[in-house]
Amino acid sequence: MNPKKKDTLQNQWKLGCLLAAAASLATAGIAQSVLTESGTISGVSGNGLNVYKGVPFAAPPIGDLRWRPPTPVAPWTGTRKADAFPPACMQVGVSMPGETPPAVSEDCLYLNIWTPAKTAQEHLPVIVWIYGGGYINGSASMPLYWGDKLARKGVIIVTIAYRLGPLGFLALSELTRESPHHSSGNYGLLDQIAALEWVHRNIAAFGGDPKCVTIAGQSSGSISVSILMASPLAKGLFQRAIGESGGLFEPLQLGPQFLLANAERDGEKYAASLSAPSLKELRRLPASQLTGNAGGIVHAVIEPYVLPASPYETFASGQQNDVPLLIGSNADEARAMLNVSHETAASFSSDLERSVGQLPPALIAAYPHATDEEAQRAQLGLERDLRFGWDMWAWARLQAGIGKHPVFYYSFRQQPPFPTGSIYAGWGASHYAELWYVFDHLDQSPWNWTAGDRRLADEMSSYWVNFARSGNPNGPDLPLWPAFTNAGGKVQYFADPITVGGVANINGLTVFDSVYATVRGKPFAAQ
């Protein structure tokens, strides 16, 4: 690829975001002041919305508050301006290819609000968005996540920040001993819960209904949604849940690092790599030194306080926070993550073992790879189902089988017009691809969107808003979306036009299911 052409195309995408921002500011004024529990804030107003940026929901987690649960915000006097996005939490890289790297700071526990309400008496539904990024990066202010288009359809959008990488997920025996709950890790998840608690206490002042809150996320944000549905600490803080391409349902036998004792051992190794053998010394290190080498400290921990049992165990026993659920994944998830152009039939098995470890022969056989072309498709298909497809299918079946509330299951299949030569070229319906449609933000990217793309973006964003309003995505002028049941297995296929089908890629998923069932019956191996 010509580097100059690639830079030009990426600059066009960034220019589209800047133009969208300029358009939103063209008629901006000062939003009405709102009294929160900590003090009065003012935001910006324009195009029928009031927007509040950089609203603190917890004290800065710095100094002695590093690796502690979030604490309340110190009250202020006067009116605090909430008219500019704050820095993102400390991180490495960006959560989405082509994204402009955000400014970062350890002082990052803020949220952003888009509200169409004119008074506090409107009691509008609320969607709280949890960004993805593999728990190592991500930002609540990324333009693609802005809530302007969804808010104009009658909901309040809140985007929240949470600690990432080792600052968000470090487990240590010293931290566990320090904790009154005998746990450590999951500080990023505690941030999410603190943000939801803030919304519960304060959103009515912005015209929202604290009893009509939807949590929503994509990728690791969607994994967070599955965890929040399993966490006793999050009970009552939300009434609906949306998960896009991410869940935590695999057998713990395949992920022993998620268990607290093993996570503590990994934490000790990480601390030793920094030549900081004590917690006191770790808290003295610059935040940038802690995130430069994550050391694998980028995942949730099964511990007594936030996540006493795995989501699979919690759902299987009917102990989840039981709410209406809208979930799904994309047809070409892995294309955004893998370059399979050099994959061959001869190298398929060895390449796969290097990528994900040794797999049972039955799994490899479920993805035919007799020719080089087949091997490329097989690699993409197996990675898609391993990382996303099976989790969403398992999540849907668990909720449909045990829960009292409905599940609405989708498969996103539309191929956006990603330009040839761009970083997104050839991705198809890849990981991330549904986000332009869900947020109805096609205009942020100056690509050759078709009338069908625009129709689908309007339909998908309307489904999401309807679901937040009532727990059912259906509404006037929308194709019927049937609820998913374990008997019927109906899935909404998002393309132009929208259709209904069965569970996509069911043959491979069934093999995964059989393998995982066998693994669950085995004892844990020593790490």
Side-chain angles (χ1 to χ4, degrees), residues 167-413:
L167 287 167
F169 295 93
L170 179 67
L172 282 174
S173 56
E174 195 173 352
L175 281 167
T176 301
R177 290 193 299 271
E178 177 184 87
S179 165
H181 308 290
H182 311 292
S183 68
S184 61
N186 291 341
Y187 303 102
L189 297 172
L190 285 166
D191 294 341
Q192 296 171 15
I193 292 167
L196 288 171
E197 291 172 336
W198 188 97
V199 167
H200 187 76
R201 296 190 303 267
N202 291 275
I203 204 65
F206 298 84
D209 183 351
K211 296 180 180 179
C212 190
V213 173
T214 299
I215 55 171
Q218 183 264 351
S219 197
S220 58
S222 182
I223 292 174
S224 292
V225 171
S226 73
I227 292 171
L228 292 170
M229 286 188 72
S231 174
L233 296 187
K235 186 175 180 61
L237 295 178
F238 58 92
Q239 289 70 45
R240 334 247 189 264
I242 297 174
E244 303 172 25
S245 302
L248 186 61
F249 293 95
E250 291 89 353
L252 283 177
Q253 286 85 346
L254 297 177
Q257 71 273 17
F258 284 81
L259 298 172
L260 178 59
N262 294 331
E264 288 173 340
R265 283 198 290 270
D266 289 343
E268 306 293 346
K269 294 174 186 176
Y270 168 75
S273 75
L274 297 171
S275 300
S278 73
L279 181 55
K280 186 176 181 179
E281 289 173 288
L282 277 171
R283 283 187 169 133
R284 286 176 176 168
L285 290 178
S288 58
Q289 189 172 340
L290 294 164
T291 54
N293 175 19
I297 315 296
V298 292
H299 59 77
V301 180
I302 310 298
E303 43 71 42
Y305 186 47
V306 181
L307 194 59
S310 73
Y312 186 94
E313 293 168 322
T314 302
F315 274 79
S317 62
Q319 300 300 306
Q320 79 272 28
N321 297 316
D322 189 2
V323 297
L325 180 62
L326 186 160
I327 57 172
S329 58
N330 299 353
D332 303 311
E333 294 275 8
R335 287 190 180 275
M337 303 172 175
L338 294 176
N339 178 1
V340 297
S341 60
H342 303 297
E343 189 65 67
T344 66
S347 66
F348 177 79
S349 296
S350 58
D351 289 346
L352 194 59
E353 185 168 342
R354 277 195 299 272
S355 173
V356 299
Q358 192 169 13
L359 294 177
L363 261 183
I364 298 175
Y367 298 85
H369 49 277
T371 67
D372 292 350
E373 185 178 349
E374 275 191 353
Q376 293 174 8
R377 288 199 302 269
Q379 179 79 1
L380 291 168
L382 192 147
E383 294 271 358
R384 173 199 63 215
D385 297 343
L386 171 68
R387 301 189 187 281
F388 307 103
W390 182 86
D391 279 286
M392 308 317 282
W393 185 46
W395 193 355
R397 287 179 297 148
L398 286 164
Q399 177 62 25
I402 301 294
K404 297 181 177 65
H405 295 281
V407 180
F408 296 91
Y409 189 5
Y410 73 82
S411 174
F412 180 82
R413 312 179 78 78

Side-chain angles (χ1 to χ4, degrees), residues 481-505:
W481 186 344
F484 175 87
T485 66
N486 288 335
K490 299 295 185 184
V491 177
Q492 198 83 337
Y493 284 10
F494 284 134
D496 183 48
I498 292 172
T499 57
V500 176
V503 175
N505 314 306

Side-chain angles (χ1 to χ4, degrees), residues 12-261:
Q12 285 176 349
W13 182 69
K14 293 173 184 176
L15 177 61
C17 294
L18 291 171
L19 291 173
S24 69
L25 293 173
T27 58
I30 299 175
Q32 60 193 37
S33 296
V34 174
L35 178 61
T36 73
E37 62 186 2
S38 303
T40 301
I41 62 171
S42 66
V44 294
S45 176
N47 298 317
L49 303 177
N50 289 322
V51 183
Y52 303 87
K53 305 173 182 177
V55 181
F57 66 84
I62 58 178
D64 192 51
L65 295 182
R66 182 185 282 175
W67 296 307
R68 293 189 191 273
T71 58
V73 175
W76 60 85
T77 58
T79 299
R80 177 178 180 140
K81 288 187 176 180
D83 58 359
F85 290 120
C89 292
M90 297 298 297
Q91 58 190 268
V92 176
V94 293
S95 63
M96 185 172 174
E99 177 192 353
T100 301
V104 297
S105 171
E106 194 173 4
D107 175 4
C108 65
L109 298 186
Y110 300 87
L111 52 78
N112 312 300
I113 303 168
W114 286 259
T115 175
K118 305 306 178 195
T119 71
Q121 284 70 50
E122 296 191 33
H123 307 296
L124 297 176
V126 182
I127 297 177
V128 177
W129 179 256
I130 306 170
Y131 54 73
Y135 291 139
I136 197 167
N137 48 41
S139 168
S141 58
M142 185 169 135
L144 198 55
Y145 303 153
W146 291 355
D148 51 327
K149 292 294 189 72
L150 292 178
R152 291 193 190 100
K153 292 191 172 188
V155 295
I156 294 175
I157 301 297
V158 182
T159 62
I160 64 174
Y162 59 97
R163 284 171 280 181
L164 298 161
L167 287 167
F169 295 93
L170 179 67
L172 282 174
S173 56
E174 195 173 352
L175 281 167
T176 301
R177 290 193 299 271
E178 177 184 87
S179 165
H181 308 290
H182 311 292
S183 68
S184 61
N186 291 341
Y187 303 102
L189 297 172
L190 285 166
D191 294 341
Q192 296 171 15
I193 292 167
L196 288 171
E197 291 172 336
W198 188 97
V199 167
H200 187 76
R201 296 190 303 267
N202 291 275
I203 204 65
F206 298 84
D209 183 351
K211 296 180 180 179
C212 190
V213 173
T214 299
I215 55 171
Q218 183 264 351
S219 197
S220 58
S222 182
I223 292 174
S224 292
V225 171
S226 73
I227 292 171
L228 292 170
M229 286 188 72
S231 174
L233 296 187
K235 186 175 180 61
L237 295 178
F238 58 92
Q239 289 70 45
R240 334 247 189 264
I242 297 174
E244 303 172 25
S245 302
L248 186 61
F249 293 95
E250 291 89 353
L252 283 177
Q253 286 85 346
L254 297 177
Q257 71 273 17
F258 284 81
L259 298 172
L260 178 59

